[in-house]
Every structure is written in structure tokens, then in C-alpha cells.
């Protein structure tokens, strides 16, 4: 895995969304919203950006006559997230080395 800074993921809200999804499989929209204390509109906006980048997929379904949305990270999204985290670690290690 190559370390790579990803401008799409780096936005704090999207970074938190990706961190939540990284090991979770498929997560219901409301769980993400409540877990990250976001409004529906803010979460929708960030998920749209991640979806357009190919980093997440959204699936709609009905539960008890109510439409629900589930989100999961794609293979490309997982790779981009891992690469971004690796790059952040590299940058942090460089900063630690400079301050020593």
C-alpha cells in the first residue's frame, strides 16, 4: 500500500465517516449520522462526495414501510483510506523527528 494524501478523504467529516466505515461493513445512514452527530443534510452532502469519488456505495431498502439507506466503503475507498492514514502517519513521524 502506497502512502498517499487524499484531499477528498482529508476533510475532517469525511475522514471520520471513512474511519467509521473502514472496519464496519455496511452501516445504516442513521447510525453514521447519530454516531458522528451530524445533520441529515451534512451527512448526505459528504456521502455524495465520497460516492462520486467511488469511495462508498449507497443501498436503499425498505424496513417496516420506511425507506432506509445503508452505506459501505468500496475496495477503492478502503485503499484510499489506508493510503491516506499511512501518509498521515508518515507526516506525523517526520514532525516528531524534527522536534527531537
Amino acid at each position: 500500500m502506497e502512502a498517499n494524501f487524499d484531499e477528498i478523504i482529508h476533510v475532517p467529516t469525511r475522514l471520520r465517516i471513512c474511519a467509521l466505515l473502514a472496519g464496519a461493513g455496511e452501516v445504516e445512514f442513521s447510525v453514521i449520522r447519530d454516531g458522528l452527530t451530524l445533520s441529515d443534510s451534512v451527512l448526505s452532502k459528504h456521502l455524495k462526495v465520497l460516492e462520486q469519488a467511488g469511495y462508498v456505495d449507497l443501498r436503499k431498502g425498505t424496513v417496516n414501510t420506511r425507506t432506509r439507506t445503508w452505506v459501505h466503503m468500496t475496495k477503492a475507498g478502503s485503499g484510499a483510506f489506508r493510503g491516506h492514514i499511512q501518509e498521515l502517519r508518515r507526516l506525523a513521524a517526520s514532525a516528531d523527528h524534527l522536534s527531537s
Side-chain angles (χ1 to χ4, degrees), residues 41 76 100:
S41 61
S100 299

Side-chain angles (χ1 to χ4, degrees), residues 16-59:
R16 292 172 60 216
I17 292 167
C18 289
L20 189 147
L21 292 172
E26 192 171 61
V27 180
E28 190 174 344
F29 181 95
S30 64
V31 172
I32 301 168
R33 179 196 64 212
D34 297 346
L36 301 180
T37 60
L38 300 170
S39 68
D40 286 357
S41 61
V42 168
L43 178 55
S44 292
K45 175 185 154 194
H46 287 289
L47 287 176
K48 184 176 182 177
V49 171
L50 290 168
E51 185 180 34
Q52 289 175 337
Y55 291 173
V56 300
D57 280 329
L58 279 64
R59 177 179 68 84

